[in-house]
Amino acid sequence: DAKTTQPPSMDCAEGRAANLPCNHSTISGNEYVYWYRQIHSQGPQYIIHGLKNNETNEMASLIITEDRKSSTLILPHATLRDTAVYYCISYNNDMRFGAGTRLTVKP
Amino acid sequence: DSGVTQTPKHLITATGQRVTLRCSPRSGDLSVYWYQQSLDQGLQFLIQYYNGEERAKGNILERFSAQQFPDLHSELNLSSLELGDSALYFCASSVGGGGGNSPLHFGNGTRLTVT
């Protein structure tokens, strides 16, 4: 089973930052934290990943706590097209997805 | 475009039949993963292959089997199909064998309908 915990749903106003939390308290030292999202029934889309340090790319920022037991995905300026299910995963071998967080961006 | 190609996009078949889903990974990727997603359900990991060898197995039924060929494309075979097998089937690929600094890239899926 997935080793991460995410809130089932969140809302965000368009143009505001969306902060999606994830708990991974049993993460091992060499396990990366990955974030993906799935828009409707499309194939999941890779967003970002990290090990210890905070990461940023053109899509999002990833903040990992110093103890690595939790992380936050930040979408700096959410748009309606960011409405999706967001999955946080920590894994070392097979990639098992949990239920994710359904983010709804509202006008 | 993720670079992962899945065919066919849609498949409609009857109960008891057998189908084959095909996946071509991104160029350079050695691992292929298969997932099943039933209506309004999460992604269920089925199986992973790395460079032709089975690497990890998830909730894959005995009626289902997969393989990865020398050219690294993969096929998922579903037999004795039941109504409950109707789902989206996704393939993903990655450079590495699993874990580590190697993101998965997903195809657009095959929608299987069993009638």
Side-chain angles (χ1 to χ4, degrees):
Chain A
D1 291 355
K3 299 178 290 184
T4 60
T5 304
Q6 299 177 253
S9 64
M10 292 181 62
D11 291 342
C12 177
E14 187 178 19
R16 303 297 295 270
N19 297 286
L20 291 90
C22 178
N23 288 320
H24 30 80
S25 58
T26 60
I27 193 170
S28 301
N30 59 350
E31 287 183 333
Y32 281 74
V33 178
Y34 280 81
W35 283 84
Y36 293 80
R37 72 180 183 184
Q38 187 175 26
I39 298 173
H40 195 44
S41 296
Q42 298 176 20
Q45 177 188 23
Y46 163 74
I47 301 173
I48 199 167
H49 73 287
L51 184 61
K52 297 180 181 178
N53 299 321
N54 298 336
E55 303 287 345
T56 295
N57 62 21
E58 66 278 5
M59 289 183 66
S61 295
L62 174 60
I63 308 298
I64 302 174
T65 58
E66 193 169 341
D67 63 8
R68 300 206 333 118
K69 293 185 177 183
S70 66
S71 62
T72 301
L73 178 75
I74 301 173
L75 307 178
H77 305 287
T79 71
L80 300 179
R81 288 176 295 179
D82 292 321
T83 292
V85 177
Y86 287 77
Y87 298 99
C88 165
I89 302 149
S90 65
Y91 79 110
N92 200 27
N93 289 302
D94 61 271
M95 171 78 86
R96 295 175 189 257
F97 285 70
T101 295
R102 183 173 297 276
L103 175 69
T104 302
V105 180
K106 298 184 175 182
Chain B
D1 183 8
S2 68
V4 178
T5 303
Q6 290 189 247
T7 57
K9 292 184 180 180
H10 301 278
L11 198 51
I12 301 174
T13 189
T15 55
Q17 295 298 305
R18 171 190 171 94
V19 297
T20 298
L21 312 184
R22 181 188 171 98
C23 171
S24 294
R26 290 192 325 160
S27 177
D29 285 359
L30 298 179
S31 273
V32 170
Y33 304 73
W34 286 98
Y35 290 85
Q36 179 192 54
Q37 188 172 39
S38 301
L39 186 64
D40 292 331
Q41 298 295 312
L43 287 155
Q44 296 295 316
F45 168 69
L46 296 179
I47 198 164
Q48 177 204 355
Y49 281 82
Y50 175 71
N51 204 21
E53 299 291 327
E54 182 182 307
R55 175 63 66 98
K57 184 177 281 191
N59 303 320
I60 189 166
L61 300 174
E62 286 191 7
R63 300 184 286 108
F64 296 180
S65 65
Q67 55 184 326
Q68 186 179 28
F69 295 86
D71 66 353
L72 300 177
H73 90 272
S74 178
E75 293 181 355
L76 179 67
N77 300 296
L78 314 176
S79 62
S80 302
L81 285 167
E82 303 174 358
L83 295 178
D85 298 326
S86 295
L88 276 167
Y89 291 84
F90 290 105
C91 168
S93 71
S94 69
V95 171
N101 198 16
S102 184
L104 267 61
H105 298 274
F106 284 80
N108 288 325
T110 293
R111 183 177 294 279
L112 173 66
T113 302
V114 182
T115 61

